[in-house]
Amino acid sequence: MAPVLVLWLAVCLSVTWAVDRGNFKTCDQSAFCKRQRALKPAESPYRALLETMELTNTRLTLQLINDNNKVRLLLELYRLQGNMTRVKINELKPLKPRYEVPDVLIREPPTEPLSLLSQDENGVVLSLGAESQRVIVSARPFRLDIMEGRDVLMSLNSRGLLAFEHLRMQEEEKVEDGMWEETFKSHSDSKPNGPSAVSLDFSLPGVEHVYGIPEHADTLRLKTTDNGDPYRLYNLDVFQYELYNPMALYGAVPVMLAHNAQRTTGIFWLNAAETWVDISSNTAGKVLLHLLTFTDVRWISESGIIDVFIMLGPTPNDVFSQYASLTGTQSFPPLAAVGYHQCRWNYNDQEDVTSVDAGFDEHDIPYDYIWLDIEHTDGKRYFTWDPHKFATPKEMLQGLMDKKRKMVAIVDPHIKVDSNYKIHNEIRSRGFYIKNKDGGDYEGWCWPGSAGYPDFTRADMREWWASMFAYDQYEGSMENLYTWNDMNEPSVFNGPEVTMHKDAVHGAWEHRDVHNLYGFYVQMATAEGLIQRSGGVERPFVLTRAFFAGSQRYGAVWTGDNAAEWEHLKISIPMCLSLGLVGISFCGADVGGFFKSPSTELLVRWYQTGAYQPFFRAHAHLDTPRREPWLFGPENTALIREAVRQRYALLPYWYQQFYHAHRTGQPIMRPLWVEYPQDPATFALDDEFLIGRDLLVHPVTEEGARGVTAYLPGKGEVWFDVQTFQKHNGAQNLYIPVTMSSIPVFQRGGSIIPKKIRVRRASSCMMHDPYTLYVALNPQGKLYIDDGHTFNYEKKEFIHRRLSFTNNILSSVNLAPDAQFTTQSWIERIVILGASKPSTVTLKTAGEWP
């Protein structure tokens, strides 16, 4: 069988560079989506039975009845702390339990009291507390309206598209195609529970711009889907994805943000099954008929229940805070992980690693991590090393450690079926593999050949997996070895849509119920393993390809198998912006493109862009020519070196942004409208972005560009070019001539940016170096310092200062008086932008900081 597999993989890897769309379903080919989409807006068959209403201090419950089939549902409505409303709908008496997503919420969300304002035969009105907010429950047909004063903020089931396919016996009724069995290509899905889809529509009055629901290779502002497929959320291994379409990709975060100049709101649809999201708008009608603008959104999921969190803002930062209170914030990475990462499939052997490492020193380019892909293992057996090519991994890792550098090695969740492989034997003997519908261990084809898939939905399996990262279990590992989880959608080469059969079994549940959670759980278990191996002291670094809501708690993501094309460089910006809006800040794209070979111009521009995105890693396919930064002539080496050095000089600012994201849930790389929510000119911009509040970046992403036009926001504000210090007014489109060395970056007037301008070979080597402060006009800024790698910041071992410059005096205030930390760094230089040269400068110190 092995030669056949090798040939089959070779065909997969070499025949085509483009996605085969025939491998992936459209809505018409997905029976539940086709069935639900056939329902058109109309009067809903669902009616609220007001006599069943029960109102306690924490929730309202109410039965709904479908007048067509008399099936009853149970509605639960909660007012949550922080200006949120939760709506749950389940069958009143299901034949068997329906899946409710565990582990994604960081706690059971705390509630606030609901109070009854009025009630009659048509419905009830409940107070949501402040700001005259209330929810109106209409009885016939059932509908929910959330109001503030006279304004409707959001309506549920206003188009009558609530649908809840109840669990039933197969002989109950005429069977439609795809209800009890479905076939796609050669794959059959047995559907033992029959039809179980859920759907609900939301109307957003006054809204034209909606964002989020990653992962899609599309614009930041989501498009209407009336004339095509809905956006699909179903984690899939998509081989070189197409751009600007709603096809599913590697991750799924079922969170949408809606924004206009008055308010930002959010919808979090907590369901881990395959989901489709339809968006429609009346924008055209508004222009012709002077109607109120609105956007309608419809969510359709294959199984589970309706469990939706409505985040009422009203500001963008309020929505980020609300969502973070539900699913947590971005994990705080070690400082080194914010540096530059060098990767390819694959560095050939230890000598190759040593040579590449030396090349960075020889060409004076800093880096922190070098990566090993699947070829480093012994026959694709993860947690092992090739005995010939990587015979002495600790020696290799020690060589990197001597230079204060680190390594990432891949550990994928498909396990080679091999009775001589310890990991496989352990998982099989403990019964930890996912089962097929007949009760045996599920097996599929992946890189090792025949592979089993551990059931990461099981807490005991995750605990065991974490224990495998202990230094005495993962032979050859050391404290400077970190982990990359790839292929964790999960990828199954011979499965339907290159993934797992939906009727595979995870204990009491089918794979269809939990599919989008699989990668989330893999990364969770891996991160826990890296924490445990150090006794809970060291922060982990884990990169994942598949993700879900809450994945931000466990590490970084990247945009998957992109291509060395200009359009792929451009799309990296809205893809990472979309992820940041839904909590996942630690995002980047493969610099240079994974597939194909970039021109030198594209490679340089990609380094210049990647240096200003949160996760900065170059990566390339096995079949591409080598592309270490010094292989394209001295001129291009110098340009790449400068881009990477800019990243390292800015590490203090980047680190402060990661700390802030970890504390608040606010995105690091953010769209302009987040900071300028009342400026419509920012609402659809996705070729430029902010890092935090104070740096605006407009990368050059056009081939042969001689200039770019950047929008500088903020009427009455000023922006300073970080290279020339030239001052520009806000609220204008600024044309910027560019050369190959240009990276248009602007510092906001009123800010202080900390840098370390003595760039060394790795971030740890700069630990005790002095700071330079870039001070722009009557500013405030912050400086955060800790040890860069442990959890000791949770024990108040850090420095956090607010810096301000007023009346020609630069001063600092301690933001954490109860924190203690000592640093050898000092402030060496202060660069003041937008001021005339002073005649004298006086230095006064207070206390011992820093």
Side-chain angles (χ1 to χ4, degrees):
M1 199 65 197
V4 176
L5 174 69
V6 171
L7 175 63
W8 185 78
L9 290 179
V11 169
C12 273
L13 295 174
S14 60
V15 166
T16 178
W17 288 105
V19 67
D20 181 355
R21 297 189 70 161
N23 280 336
F24 304 102
K25 290 182 180 181
T26 63
C27 179
D28 270 355
Q29 293 169 315
S30 182
F32 80 93
C33 184
K34 182 178 182 179
R35 204 162 55 239
Q36 294 300 324
R37 223 182 182 203
L39 301 175
K40 299 302 178 188
E43 184 162 302
S44 175
Y46 288 95
R47 170 166 58 90
L49 300 173
L50 297 179
E51 66 276 13
T52 67
M53 184 179 81
E54 293 183 19
L55 181 62
T56 69
N57 200 33
T58 58
R59 69 171 182 168
L60 172 139
T61 61
L62 185 66
Q63 291 180 28
L64 310 178
I65 189 167
N66 183 330
D67 281 331
N68 292 341
N69 60 19
K70 306 308 178 190
V71 172
R72 293 194 180 199
L73 306 178
L74 180 67
L75 167 77
E76 298 175 70
L77 191 144
Y78 302 82
R79 175 187 166 205
L80 303 182
Q81 283 182 16
N83 205 19
M84 292 181 285
T85 300
R86 183 181 193 178
V87 178
K88 291 180 76 169
I89 303 176
N90 198 350
E91 291 185 56
L92 181 64
K93 295 180 178 177
L95 276 183
K96 58 196 290 190
R98 297 179 67 117
Y99 189 69
E100 299 187 39
V101 174
D103 301 317
V104 167
L105 301 178
I106 56 175
R107 58 177 175 168
E108 190 61 28
T111 59
E112 293 190 334
L114 280 166
S115 58
L116 183 66
L117 294 178
S118 64
Q119 178 177 2
D120 60 24
E121 69 276 8
N122 297 315
V124 296
V125 181
L126 301 160
S127 170
L128 290 176
E131 302 284 342
S132 66
Q133 282 185 1
R134 59 203 186 282
V135 59
I136 300 172
V137 183
S138 302
R140 186 192 292 265
F142 165 69
R143 168 178 172 152
L144 285 179
D145 292 283
I146 298 174
M147 309 278 295
E148 184 172 284
R150 299 176 62 181
D151 297 327
V152 179
L153 302 182
M154 193 179 299
S155 300
L156 284 64
N157 202 35
S158 61
R159 293 193 299 153
L161 293 172
L162 167 63
F164 209 104
E165 294 181 335
H166 62 285
L167 300 179
R168 67 201 79 179
M169 306 301 289
Q170 186 166 353
E171 63 271 11
E172 273 186 33
E173 58 192 356
K174 180 174 82 67
V175 176
E176 293 179 32
D177 282 351
M179 289 177 68
W180 291 89
E181 185 171 17
E182 184 174 353
T183 301
F184 179 67
K185 301 186 83 169
S186 61
H187 301 284
S188 178
D189 176 7
S190 63
K191 296 197 176 179
N193 295 319
S196 57
V198 297
S199 169
L200 184 59
D201 64 274
F202 300 75
S203 290
L204 305 164
V207 168
E208 289 183 51
H209 294 79
V210 289
Y211 312 91
I213 56 169
E215 184 176 34
H216 300 97
D218 208 350
T219 53
L220 174 65
R221 179 193 180 185
L222 297 170
K223 301 183 175 87
T224 57
T225 58
D226 298 329
N227 299 318
D229 261 9
Y231 284 97
R232 190 182 187 200
L233 294 171
Y234 190 60
N235 294 358
L236 292 172
D237 180 358
V238 182
F239 185 87
Q240 200 196 334
Y241 48 84
E242 288 184 12
L243 306 185
Y244 305 108
N245 73 46
M247 286 177 68
L249 287 178
Y250 311 96
V253 184
V255 176
M256 180 181 288
L257 277 67
H259 178 73
N260 61 26
Q262 288 73 47
R263 179 181 288 268
T264 309
T265 57
I267 300 169
F268 173 25
W269 177 267
L270 182 52
N271 189 300
E274 179 184 346
T275 298
W276 299 77
V277 185
D278 254 326
I279 301 169
S280 58
S281 169
N282 75 329
T283 307
K286 180 196 75 166
V287 175
L288 295 173
L289 302 173
H290 306 290
L291 298 174
L292 172 70
T293 302
F294 61 81
T295 294
D296 290 317
V297 179
R298 184 188 185 191
W299 301 74
I300 306 168
S301 292
E302 185 175 14
S303 65
I305 68 166
I306 292 172
D307 190 1
V308 63
F309 297 82
I310 298 162
M311 299 171 284
L312 295 173
T315 70
N317 284 340
D318 289 331
V319 173
F320 302 141
S321 175
Q322 289 155 1
Y323 181 62
S325 76
L326 298 172
T327 67
T329 61
Q330 177 63 58
S331 62
F332 190 28
L335 173 62
V338 187
Y340 173 63
H341 300 251
Q342 181 66 33
C343 184
R344 78 171 277 112
W345 176 23
N346 204 89
Y347 286 118
N348 299 325
D349 49 33
Q350 288 181 213
E351 291 71 26
D352 198 5
V353 169
T354 302
S355 171
V356 171
D357 174 69
F360 277 89
D361 293 334
E362 182 184 338
H363 296 92
D364 196 22
I365 301 172
Y367 90 95
D368 268 273
Y369 288 79
I370 190 164
W371 291 52
L372 294 180
D373 210 320
I374 54 177
E375 310 303 330
H376 85 278
T377 60
D378 181 6
K380 314 300 188 298
R381 297 170 182 86
Y382 304 107
F383 299 99
T384 71
W385 305 84
D386 184 297
H388 307 293
K389 297 177 180 178
F390 295 92
T392 54
K394 284 193 174 180
E395 184 180 305
M396 172 180 64
L397 288 164
Q398 187 62 53
L400 293 170
M401 189 180 287
D402 290 344
K403 294 183 175 182
K404 298 189 184 297
R405 287 176 175 151
K406 299 166 176 60
M407 174 171 275
V408 173
I410 201 164
V411 177
D412 287 348
H414 50 258
I415 303 300
K416 184 179 178 69
V417 175
D418 173 3
S419 58
N420 294 315
Y421 178 26
K422 178 185 79 169
I423 299 288
H424 164 71
N425 290 338
E426 283 268 333
I427 295 172
R428 176 161 282 179
S429 67
R430 293 168 185 260
F432 282 163
Y433 278 127
I434 296 168
K435 307 303 179 188
N436 58 38
K437 63 183 170 63
D438 301 316
D441 287 347
Y442 179 94
E443 290 186 16
W445 289 94
C446 209
W447 296 126
S450 188
Y453 292 78
D455 187 354
F456 284 89
T457 67
R458 294 178 55 165
D460 53 355
M461 164 59 212
R462 296 194 301 272
E463 188 178 332
W464 175 84
W465 180 266
S467 74
M468 290 299 99
F469 289 90
Y471 299 123
D472 61 351
Q473 293 290 334
Y474 189 169
E475 291 181 21
S477 68
M478 289 174 54
E479 56 267 35
N480 63 332
L481 180 68
Y482 296 81
T483 308
W484 171 19
N485 294 146
D486 198 2
M487 315 297 284
N488 55 340
E489 294 74 27
S491 180
V492 183
F493 290 157
N494 62 337
E497 301 192 89
V498 201
T499 194
M500 187 167 286
H501 293 74
K502 288 181 175 178
D503 55 8
V505 177
H506 301 251
W509 307 107
E510 286 189 284
H511 185 70
R512 86 180 70 251
D513 301 313
V514 306
H515 175 86
N516 286 345
L517 282 173
Y518 191 76
F520 163 87
Y521 278 130
V522 173
Q523 189 186 24
M524 174 197 286
T526 302
E528 186 57 36
L530 295 192
I531 293 169
Q532 285 179 13
R533 72 178 186 180
S534 71
V537 172
E538 296 290 330
R539 290 177 237 164
F541 171 73
V542 182
L543 179 73
T544 182
R545 190 169 73 177
F547 50 84
F548 190 67
S551 287
Q552 67 269 14
R553 306 198 298 264
Y554 305 113
V557 306
W558 91 107
T559 62
D561 295 344
N562 60 2
E565 296 172 356
W566 287 93
E567 289 299 316
H568 276 263
L569 168 58
K570 291 176 195 173
I571 207 78
S572 72
I573 298 172
M575 288 182 78
C576 279
L577 287 173
S578 296
L579 281 160
L581 288 176
V582 300
I584 300 177
S585 270
F586 206 175
C587 168
D590 287 344
V591 169
F594 178 67
F595 291 112
K596 305 185 180 180
S597 296
S599 66
T600 52
E601 181 189 2
L602 175 57
L603 184 64
V604 167
R605 291 302 191 200
W606 214 316
Y607 268 98
Q608 293 171 341
T609 302
Y612 287 91
Q613 292 176 345
F615 177 54
F616 184 24
R617 181 186 77 151
H619 187 37
H621 188 278
L622 185 73
D623 290 343
T624 61
R626 294 289 284 254
R627 59 166 95 134
E628 283 72 44
W630 51 87
L631 296 179
F632 301 88
E635 195 174 304
N636 292 303
T637 301
L639 293 169
I640 293 170
R641 178 190 301 117
E642 175 57 25
V644 178
R645 289 174 68 87
Q646 285 188 30
R647 171 60 163 235
Y648 275 76
L650 265 175
L651 280 179
Y653 182 73
W654 276 107
Y655 198 53
Q656 160 71 30
Q657 300 314 308
F658 271 96
Y659 181 74
H660 187 68
H662 178 57
R663 288 298 186 209
T664 68
Q666 293 175 20
I668 295 171
M669 177 180 170
R670 59 185 70 160
L672 272 63
W673 65 259
V674 167
E675 294 298 330
Y676 299 89
Q678 295 179 319
D679 183 355
T682 67
F683 292 176
L685 282 180
D686 60 9
D687 59 354
E688 61 182 270
F689 53 90
L690 294 165
I691 303 168
R693 293 182 60 219
D694 297 333
L695 284 182
L696 185 152
V697 187
H698 190 304
V700 181
T701 58
E702 293 282 350
E703 186 174 11
R706 297 188 177 182
V708 299
T709 299
Y711 180 69
L712 302 182
K715 191 169 184 179
E717 294 198 23
V718 295
W719 295 86
F720 292 90
D721 184 311
V722 299
Q723 297 300 323
T724 66
F725 303 141
Q726 187 174 349
K727 184 169 78 173
H728 302 280
N729 291 325
Q732 68 156 323
N733 286 301
L734 178 69
Y735 180 78
I736 307 150
V738 298
T739 64
M740 277 307 298
S741 64
S742 303
I743 314 175
V745 181
F746 299 87
Q747 180 176 343
R748 188 179 60 83
S751 66
I752 299 176
I753 303 285
K755 290 186 181 182
K756 288 191 173 184
I757 55 177
R758 299 181 189 177
V759 173
R760 303 184 191 273
R761 66 175 172 236
S763 61
S764 300
C765 301
M766 300 165 62
M767 191 72 198
H768 304 303
D769 284 347
Y771 290 88
T772 295
L773 302 181
Y774 288 78
V775 177
L777 284 178
N778 301 329
Q780 285 199 350
K782 292 178 182 176
L783 182 61
Y784 176 84
I785 307 170
D786 65 15
D787 65 19
H789 60 97
T790 73
F791 285 104
N792 289 350
Y793 70 91
E794 294 180 344
K795 303 174 186 174
K796 298 288 186 180
E797 293 182 21
F798 61 84
I799 293 167
H800 200 197
R801 309 285 301 196
R802 177 185 291 118
L803 309 169
S804 59
F805 185 78
T806 52
N807 300 322
N808 289 333
I809 297 172
L810 176 68
S811 59
S812 77
V813 174
N814 192 350
L815 292 174
D818 55 342
Q820 296 286 329
F821 186 72
T822 302
T823 176
Q824 296 176 37
S825 298
W826 69 101
I827 292 176
E828 175 184 54
R829 181 181 307 177
I830 299 167
V831 180
I832 299 177
L833 285 58
S836 54
K837 187 174 181 180
S839 55
T840 59
V841 175
T842 304
L843 177 64
K844 294 181 181 178
T845 59
E848 298 180 349
W849 180 85

